[in-house]
Amino acid sequence: MDVPRGIMKSSFERHVTAGCCALWMTVNLACGSAGGSEGTNTVRDSAGITIVETHSAAWGPGEEWRLADGPGTVIGGSDEEPGQVLFQANSAFRLPDGRIVVGDNGTSEIRFFDERGGFLEAVGGKGEGPGEFRMLELVARYGSDSIIAWDRRGRRISVFDRDGNFSRTTTPNGMGYQAKLFFPDGTLLASDMRTLYPGPGAELPLDAVVRRTREFGRFGTDGAEWGTLGTFPDDENWSSYDVDHPHVQWYLFGKRTVMAGTGSTLWVGTGEAYELRGYDRDGNWVKSIRNAAYEPRRTRGSDLANRVAELEAGWDDANLHMAAVFQGQNPPEFIAPYDDLVADIQNHLWVRRYQRPGEPCDTWDVFDPDGRMLGSVEVPYGLTVLDIGADYVLGSALDELQIERIEFYRLVKP
């Protein structure tokens, strides 16, 4: 589905400081349940599936993690310095030596910056030669000393060393796949797009929620398919008419399918409940993480209008006609429990709760590698989290002029 720029991520549309979030977090934690330093968890095994159920957060007073007040490093937002103009910078991560790597989709470049955000060099660029990309969609760390990238249009995996020197490239078997994420070992998770959209002549329902399925496979760095990991639901979408033709559009407050990889495990949440399921490399369901403390939130009568107003604030003239499409939706009774999932470098799972319009910050629930919920971290609204290390959070945001930037925040742990 093609989504006009500015409406794919609602968190892009407004940006507030971490200082505001820190204040809100203090109030939130004071009003929330205090689970004690150990928390309350039930771990049981059912038919070979380990289930970890959290009833209260493990962090006690003074044990919470938080972001520093304001970003320590900012990349982008200036056209007066080389390498600082970003367009669709959809990947970013930090190397062990402190350098920051950014994948810029607009230029198909992999850019390197120092710890202070100063531009160092760019590799790749548009093209079909070795180390070039027709469309750079994903860039990730690969092991301790390499970088791996996915070219969406070229259907190629390329590997570079940590200094950006091109090493090798390969094309996965089968051309009908769209990349989702790289696992830490460099294997690629990709979905079969042929199972997502209806074939020629298929009709779409009018003014209805549509949720199709995707088949996912895992590919090695040599391009060989390891096997099918399973078929999972796609995001819920709204089928309506955009001007004069059927159109599938983002369903506001609807269920989202989120995915992340830790080690060899694929974590999937479909939004039916506050649950994440872990699958091994053969596609076997081996573990579930459940947040039993989560209370579903009903949509309010004002939520749809407020969210559309937020989206309109970031649209250009070409997208303003979409307001009527969104305003014609019938919101779900309950807001989806979450809309994003990120695995940090230490194999914690960070789950972003689906935000209600007007909330000052994004709330990310943090689960340890065993599946226990530790607690929640407040992140500035407007920051799309791309990489989480042991002591930092790195993400993309828009400034007050709707200009892209990469922001680096220190993660403070007691």
Side-chain angles (χ1 to χ4, degrees):
M1 175 183 64
D2 294 327
V3 181
R5 178 172 168 73
I7 66 174
M8 177 63 83
K9 297 282 188 178
S10 64
S11 61
F12 267 148
E13 309 307 328
R14 182 160 56 89
H15 184 64
V16 295
T17 65
C20 168
C21 292
L23 175 62
W24 185 88
M25 177 178 66
T26 302
V27 175
N28 183 57
L29 289 172
C31 296
S33 61
S37 59
E38 295 300 323
T40 303
N41 298 274
T42 301
V43 181
R44 62 181 182 270
D45 189 277
S46 175
I49 301 170
T50 301
I51 300 174
V52 183
E53 194 169 87
T54 293
H55 298 270
S56 62
W59 288 333
E63 297 177 333
E64 306 92 349
W65 298 354
R66 64 176 180 84
L67 295 193
D69 295 340
T73 299
V74 175
I75 296 170
S78 172
D79 57 3
E80 298 179 356
E81 300 178 30
Q84 295 289 342
V85 176
L86 304 175
F87 180 55
Q88 296 180 357
N90 46 21
S91 302
F93 56 92
R94 189 172 184 259
L95 294 172
D97 60 11
R99 288 178 299 157
I100 297 173
V101 179
V102 176
D104 188 78
N105 189 8
T107 60
S108 288
E109 291 179 338
I110 302 174
R111 299 183 188 178
F112 293 78
F113 299 85
D114 63 26
E115 294 183 38
R116 294 171 294 180
F119 175 69
L120 298 173
E121 65 172 329
V123 301
K126 292 187 179 296
E128 300 185 12
E132 296 177 331
F133 309 98
R134 294 178 59 191
M135 178 183 286
L136 180 62
E137 186 173 47
L138 287 176
V139 183
R141 62 172 63 87
Y142 174 27
S144 61
D145 59 357
S146 297
I147 296 168
I148 195 163
W150 169 252
D151 181 353
R152 178 176 177 179
R153 288 182 179 166
R155 301 289 180 184
R156 298 189 303 182
I157 298 172
S158 295
V159 178
F160 300 79
D161 69 18
R162 60 187 299 172
D163 294 319
N165 298 307
F166 173 72
S167 174
R168 65 185 187 276
T169 189
T170 187
T171 300
N173 299 331
M175 298 299 290
Y177 286 85
Q178 181 182 39
K180 179 66 176 180
L181 59 88
F182 281 109
F183 288 89
D185 62 4
T187 52
L188 177 70
L189 177 71
S191 63
D192 188 343
M193 296 300 294
R194 294 168 296 185
T195 63
L196 178 60
Y197 295 107
E203 294 185 0
L204 291 170
L206 179 62
D207 295 333
V209 177
V210 175
R211 194 173 201 190
R212 302 192 181 96
T213 59
R214 298 198 201 196
E215 183 180 281
F216 284 82
R218 190 167 180 173
F219 297 85
T221 55
D222 60 355
E225 184 174 6
W226 287 17
T228 299
L229 289 180
T231 299
F232 302 104
D234 193 47
D235 295 343
E236 284 189 328
N237 291 295
W238 182 259
S239 178
S240 185
Y241 279 83
D242 177 8
V243 184
D244 60 357
H245 60 277
H247 185 79
V248 176
Q249 189 52 263
W250 182 31
Y251 183 42
L252 301 180
F253 311 109
K255 299 179 183 67
R256 303 282 178 260
T257 296
V258 297
M259 296 183 174
T262 59
S264 61
T265 302
L266 170 65
W267 292 97
V268 181
T270 62
E272 299 292 341
Y274 199 131
E275 179 182 24
L276 302 175
R277 293 186 177 184
Y279 298 84
D280 65 19
R281 60 177 293 173
D282 296 319
N284 299 309
W285 175 21
V286 294
K287 191 170 185 176
S288 275
I289 296 173
R290 297 174 181 172
N291 182 1
Y294 175 77
E295 296 183 3
R297 298 164 297 161
R298 290 184 180 274
T299 52
R300 301 169 182 163
S302 60
D303 283 340
L304 182 63
N306 290 341
R307 179 51 48 85
V308 174
E310 285 183 346
L311 295 174
E312 284 186 289
W315 288 345
D316 55 25
D317 292 343
N319 289 325
L320 289 178
H321 70 279
M322 292 303 302
V325 176
F326 286 114
Q327 290 166 350
Q329 294 184 1
N330 296 323
E333 181 180 1
F334 294 95
I335 296 175
Y338 46 70
D339 68 351
D340 202 2
L341 174 65
V342 175
D344 72 16
I345 202 167
Q346 296 180 322
N347 289 331
H348 295 88
L349 291 173
W350 293 57
V351 182
R352 183 175 68 184
R353 298 187 197 175
Y354 200 112
Q355 186 190 59
R356 188 191 297 276
E359 294 177 350
C361 306
D362 286 330
T363 300
W364 288 79
D365 296 330
V366 183
F367 297 82
D368 72 11
D370 293 324
R372 296 187 314 149
M373 181 176 168
L374 300 178
S376 301
V377 176
E378 304 308 321
V379 172
Y381 183 27
L383 187 75
T384 299
V385 175
L386 300 174
D387 183 37
I388 306 175
D391 60 357
Y392 69 86
V393 171
L394 187 65
S396 62
L398 298 179
D399 66 14
E400 62 278 4
L401 299 177
Q402 302 294 297
I403 297 174
E404 285 187 50
R405 39 196 262 173
I406 300 294
E407 298 181 348
F408 177 93
Y409 287 83
R410 283 294 174 188
L411 178 60
V412 181
K413 301 179 180 179

